[in-house]
Amino acid sequence: SLSGSRLEGGLNAVGLRCDGTVYLNESFHVSGPVRLVGATIGRQLNCKDGQFDHIEGNALHFDAARIAGSVFLNGKFHARGTVRLVGTSIGGQLNCRGGHFVNDGRLALTCENTSVGKSFIFDKVTIAGRVNASGMSVTRLVDDMATWESAETIRLDGFIYGSFAGRAPA
């Protein structure tokens, strides 16, 4: 748990093995990249209300990670730089409700080839930059039109969903 912590220079946890929950939440703030590439997390990755600043590259990078529970990039979550979860497996939900993804003119969020076992909650999200959800598969999609319209471009080639939930404007 790094809840409420402040880190300068980033966090390198490539290949992390954790049976429980990883907490980077509750006003957690990092200047530099957070790398969880190939991590295995037995419960949740909780970044609710966290701030991730690395405009020069990947602010939060968890490609090929395996999270048995849910991933929370919601509440006052704020990322400056790319949030990258390519080829990631999430057993629970990916909750981005209320999150801010900022990387003007560049990739702000990429979930390419990521699988979400439950809901992808993508409403009330602010995006300044591009989104890539190519090859992503989700059981349920919860979204709103304003979120999709806030992105500069959205790539959805091969995006698969099982059902819509909520108002489902998409």
Side-chain angles (χ1 to χ4, degrees), residues 12-154:
N12 188 357
V14 172
L16 170 78
R17 302 275 184 247
C18 175
D19 291 333
T21 297
V22 173
Y23 293 99
L24 305 175
N25 62 342
E26 297 178 9
S27 300
F28 171 83
H29 183 263
V30 60
S31 296
V34 172
R35 299 195 53 190
L36 297 166
V37 176
T40 301
I41 300 172
R43 293 200 179 152
Q44 301 175 352
L45 173 58
N46 189 334
C47 300
K48 182 179 181 181
D49 301 333
Q51 188 170 5
F52 298 78
D53 289 314
H54 189 62
I55 200 71
E56 296 83 24
N58 297 317
L60 179 55
H61 186 183
F62 54 109
D63 286 4
R66 302 289 173 252
I67 296 105
S70 296
V71 174
F72 296 98
L73 309 177
N74 61 332
K76 295 177 186 170
F77 174 86
H78 191 98
R80 286 177 16 106
T82 303
V83 174
R84 184 180 166 94
L85 51 154
V86 173
T88 297
S89 174
I90 300 169
Q93 61 180 246
L94 174 56
N95 187 337
C96 299
R97 180 173 284 147
H100 297 271
F101 299 81
V102 179
N103 204 8
D104 290 322
R106 293 177 279 184
L107 197 57
L109 174 64
T110 181
C111 306
E112 190 174 359
N113 299 318
T114 288
S115 66
V116 178
K118 293 189 179 173
S119 297
F120 176 33
I121 302 172
F122 201 58
D123 62 347
K124 299 175 181 67
V125 175
T126 302
I127 302 165
R130 300 188 320 257
V131 173
N132 183 357
S134 298
M136 185 179 188
S137 64
V138 303
T139 300
R140 276 179 303 282
L141 176 62
V142 180
D143 67 343
D144 65 1
M145 193 57 72
T147 294
W148 295 109
E149 291 173 346
S150 72
E152 292 171 19
T153 61
I154 302 166

